[in-house]
Amino acid sequence: MFLKGKTALITGSTSGIGLAYAKALAAEGAAIMINGFGDADAIEAERKALAEASGAQAAYSPADMSRPDEIAAMVRDCEDRLGGPDILISNAGVQHVSPIEDFPPEKWDQIIAINLSAAFHAIRAAVPGMKARKWGRIINTASAHSLTASPFKSAYVAAKHGIAGLTKTVALETATFGITANCISPGYVWTPLVEKQIPDTMKARGMTREQVINDVLLAGQPTKAFVTAEQVAGLALWLCGDAAASVTGANLSMDGGWTA
Ligand code: NAD
């Protein structure tokens, strides 16, 4: 349990990849603050299970990642209730698929706010404590779309390219403080986020569900298999360890060869 005594704050961790991060870090003893939307009873059950797995505390923040004031308050709340955060994983994300001429401007603003600006606000609030403690791990969930584009995903691709740049800048600014900042760039991982974009992609491209899965989602993924959330969480766990202390400013692909 190499994370005993550490606290991890993970945004967007009521589902998918974020929940897998929470489980992986709790299994190594970290106190966890989860965040995100969903059914209150299901979230409370997850919180309890995380505390049992870690033998440490687990808390939930309902902060909305599109609201800078709520993000700053979430980081303060984590510090007050659990200490830290020593590990900050910005992971909350949403998607919208549409040709650019029909792309609703409010969807653009929402995606940039949740997938990019939220990480800025959370990092900005968490870095002073990490610098004071001379230890920190900042991990951002980027995407293969931080390195390459796909049509009809203008806001998402812009936000993910942006978070890769933000990660590099933070890495340079924190490099002498025992803090690392990296992003993980998965290819397609089978989560609710991917499942939800299938109907819009069917409409945008005039395809069936099977065609979207095989000819769009997995077309560029040479393994022809979805990445698993547990594999992504395994990489985050490694980034938290001493073996990764010199890995900073990196954009780590886990995409079945998509961007090769
Ligand atoms: P998901 O839909 O399963 O989970 C998204 C999480 O974000 C949920 O917990 C949700 O409640 C939370 N969330 C959404 N809006 C929020 C808001 N305003 N405030 C707080 N929380 C909010 O999706 P996922 O696939 O697990 O995605 C997680 C991250 O991984 C995202 O940043 C996504 O872009 C990225 N990613 C996913 C894939 C994939 O194929 N699934 C690939 C590459 C990158």
Side-chain angles (χ1 to χ4, degrees):
M1 286 212 165
F2 77 96
L3 293 177
K4 269 237 164 306
K6 301 284 192 224
T7 295
L9 168 55
I10 305 158
T11 75
S13 45
T14 53
S15 165
I17 297 169
L19 185 55
Y21 286 139
K23 287 179 179 170
L25 271 58
E28 289 298 337
I32 308 278
M33 178 171 267
I34 50 171
N35 157 260
F37 302 145
D39 173 69
D41 291 340
I43 292 171
E44 176 53 17
E46 268 322 323
R47 189 202 63 74
K48 272 198 188 140
L50 291 167
E52 269 166 33
S54 66
Q57 283 180 281
Y60 165 64
S61 166
D64 181 340
M65 291 303 104
S66 66
R67 300 278 309 270
D69 52 339
E70 292 190 22
I71 298 167
M74 171 187 70
V75 174
R76 281 197 304 273
D77 186 32
C78 179
E79 200 171 334
D80 292 346
R81 291 161 73 188
L82 306 178
D86 306 294
I87 300 161
L88 171 65
I89 306 187
S90 291
N91 171 77
V94 289
Q95 175 65 283
H96 184 77
V97 180
S98 163
I100 194 152
E101 61 271 37
D102 301 326
F103 210 97
E106 59 278 12
K107 283 283 178 200
W108 168 274
D109 288 344
Q110 184 201 27
I111 290 173
I112 298 296
I114 296 170
N115 295 20
L116 174 58
S117 302
F120 160 75
H121 295 294
I123 293 167
R124 184 176 179 278
V127 156
M130 291 181 180
K131 279 188 172 175
R133 290 185 296 275
K134 300 210 177 321
W135 197 91
R137 291 288 187 269
I138 295 167
I139 300 170
N140 297 316
T141 309
S143 162
H145 284 120
S146 74
L147 296 162
T148 188
S150 297
F152 313 123
K153 295 186 176 178
S154 52
Y156 188 86
V157 171
K160 294 301 185 181
H161 275 66
I163 206 161
L166 171 68
T167 306
K168 291 189 204 178
T169 307
V170 172
L172 298 183
E173 292 186 31
T174 57
T176 58
F177 291 90
I179 301 169
T180 69
N182 295 287
C183 54
I184 299 180
S185 286
Y188 281 105
V189 186
W190 188 257
T191 67
L193 181 139
V194 166
E195 213 169 345
K196 273 186 263 174
Q197 63 188 279
I198 290 176
D200 286 345
T201 310
M202 287 166 65
K203 206 159 70 187
R205 294 185 184 244
M207 287 178 160
T208 65
R209 182 182 162 84
E210 287 62 38
Q211 283 172 325
V212 170
I213 291 176
N214 296 315
D215 302 346
V216 179
L217 301 183
L218 295 179
Q221 207 147 291
T223 50
K224 298 296 169 210
F226 287 97
V227 177
T228 71
E230 290 70 27
Q231 289 166 344
V232 178
L235 183 53
L237 200 56
W238 176 77
L239 282 171
C240 293
D242 290 341
S246 296
V247 178
T248 195
N251 186 347
L252 301 165
S253 291
M254 185 181 278
D255 60 11
W258 175 354
T259 55

